[in-house]
């Protein structure tokens, strides 16, 4: 390379590359919707819900407008409100705690495990106690399957059963992952996911879905999705939202779901290769035994203080990185007054100083990946 030429900038997530693989399929699917004009609740929405149910093994799927709405709809349908506590991890995207607080309930933050970055079960138990001592009624836990990897659903289910909590799984980053041979979407009361474009299965705008095996609950969710409508359209029987998935987004997702299984395999191949080539210079991600990840992010840990220099050096070489998350929720302005598990949340705090995510997508070729790895290794050995 001429030393005066800027290096080619690598994509962090290659939505454009995937468009080329899909060819005209998504364009044709969108054109079909433009022809039949059923932009709301068109046939593609019903088709997508059936396809998602077949893919996950969940009995009922309710498509909706975003991952945030998916979480909110479940809490609304369960009547969560003031005086209720919902336990969630602090090391997550804000939406996990936001939906709880929006309903006037109290998010109680728990710490995460240092290897999987998912909710720590001892801290979950402590958060339940903290909620009780504060005079709140613990009603639910929202585990998050962070960066594509399932939380410890068996251990969480045991605690939820013993404490009479319902489990709403936040699988916004992990649609397609498995835990002990079962796809996410089939655990406990309900699972919420997001189809935001950057997610492992993303649409071309906002979108989401809820998975449940409970037919009655699915019917309530369908009502909540449209202003709490009852069997008579003009007698609304509960409070709800406008949270439908657009037909155009459903049409796109139907096509993208067809290539998703191969994409999951490709993402895993990329992650394994990163692990092999980087394990001696940083802490590489580890997937718990019995689980598979869809690698929404490939996130390494570097020692506190070296992260900024690494990001700057890589950026100069055309290699983008992102920090998910530089501040755990319990340190963010909107959330710092909410309670946390006993003893603080040291792992969430340490991770927020050490994690950095590298480019990850199904179409990352080996040559590009080698360039990223060389950049990381060179920067960390300086
Ligand atoms: C863990 C988690 N929960 C919820 C959401 C919300 O999803 P959406 O952006 O589709 O509302 C996200 C999106 O980034 C997320 O990462």
């Amino acid at each position: 390379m001429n030393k005066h030429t800027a290096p080619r900038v690598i994509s962090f997530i290659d939505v454009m590359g995937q468009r080329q693989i899909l060819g005209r399929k998504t364009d044709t699917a969108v054109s079909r919707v433009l022809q039949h004009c059923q932009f709301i609740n068109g046939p593609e929405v019903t088709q997508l819900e059936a396809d998602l149910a077949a893919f996950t093994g969940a009995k009922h799927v309710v498509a909706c407008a975003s991952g945030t709405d998916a979480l909110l709809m479940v809490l609304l349908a369960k009547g969560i409100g003031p005086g209720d506590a919902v336990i969630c991890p602090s090391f997550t995207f804000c939406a996990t705690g936001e939906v709880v607080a929006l309903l006037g309930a109290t998010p109680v933050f728990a710490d995460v495990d240092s290897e999987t970055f998912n909710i720590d079960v001892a801290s979950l138990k402590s958060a339940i106690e903290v909620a009780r001592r504060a005079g709140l009624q613990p009603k639910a836990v929202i585990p998050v399957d962070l960066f594509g990897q399932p939380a410890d659903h068996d251990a969480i289910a045991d605690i939820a059963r013993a404490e009479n909590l319902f489990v709403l799984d936040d699988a916004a980053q992990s649609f397609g992952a498995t835990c002990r041979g079962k796809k996410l979407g089939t655990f406990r009361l309900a699972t919420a996911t997001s189809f935001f474009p950057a997610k492992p299965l993303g649409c071309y705008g906002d979108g989401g879905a809820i998975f449940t095996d409970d037919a009655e609950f699915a019917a309530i969710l369908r009502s909540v999705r449209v202003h709490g409508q009852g069997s008579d359209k003009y007698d609304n029987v509960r409070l709800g939202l406008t949270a439908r998935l657009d037909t155009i987004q459903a049409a796109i997702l139907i096509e993208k779901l067809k290539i998703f299984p191969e994409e999951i395999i490709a993402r895993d191949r990329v992650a394994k290769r990163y692990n092999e080539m980087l394990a001696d210079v940083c802490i590489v991600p580890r997937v718990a035994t019995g689980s598979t990840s869809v690698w929404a992010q490939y996130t390494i840990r570097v020692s506190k203080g070296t992260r900024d220099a690494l990001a700057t050096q890589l950026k100069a070489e055309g290699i983008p990185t992102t920090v998910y998350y530089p501040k755990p929720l319990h340190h963010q302005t909107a959330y710092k007054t909410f309670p946390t598990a006993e003893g603080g949340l040291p792992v969430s705090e340490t991770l927020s100083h050490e994690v950095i995510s590298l480019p990850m997508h199904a179409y990352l070729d080996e040559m590009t990946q080698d360039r990223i790895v060389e950049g990381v290794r060179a920067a960390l050995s300086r």
Side-chain angles (χ1 to χ4, degrees), residues 235-302:
D235 181 25
N236 294 296
V237 295
R238 56 177 64 79
L239 297 180
L241 305 165
T242 313
R244 296 168 293 233
L245 179 72
D246 292 348
T247 311
I248 286 180
Q249 298 302 343
I252 291 161
L253 284 165
I254 289 169
E255 293 309 317
K256 290 186 64 172
L257 185 59
K258 290 177 191 163
I259 60 164
F260 190 51
E262 290 99 77
E263 289 188 335
I264 293 176
I265 294 168
R267 297 175 86 95
D268 199 46
R269 196 182 311 124
V270 170
K272 285 197 172 117
R273 214 162 162 265
Y274 267 142
N275 273 6
E276 280 160 21
M277 297 193 287
L278 289 173
D280 59 329
V281 291
C282 59
I283 301 177
V284 295
R286 193 185 74 80
V287 178
T289 311
S291 291
T292 62
S293 175
V294 288
W295 301 103
Q297 304 300 337
Y298 181 84
T299 303
I300 56 171
R301 284 176 67 181
V302 295

Side-chain angles (χ1 to χ4, degrees), residues 178-200:
T178 64
C179 185
R180 294 183 234 296
K182 279 171 66 185
K183 286 240 170 63
L184 294 184
T186 55
F187 293 91
R188 307 298 295 167
L189 175 72
T191 301
T193 201
S194 164
F195 299 128
F196 183 79
K199 297 293 188 237

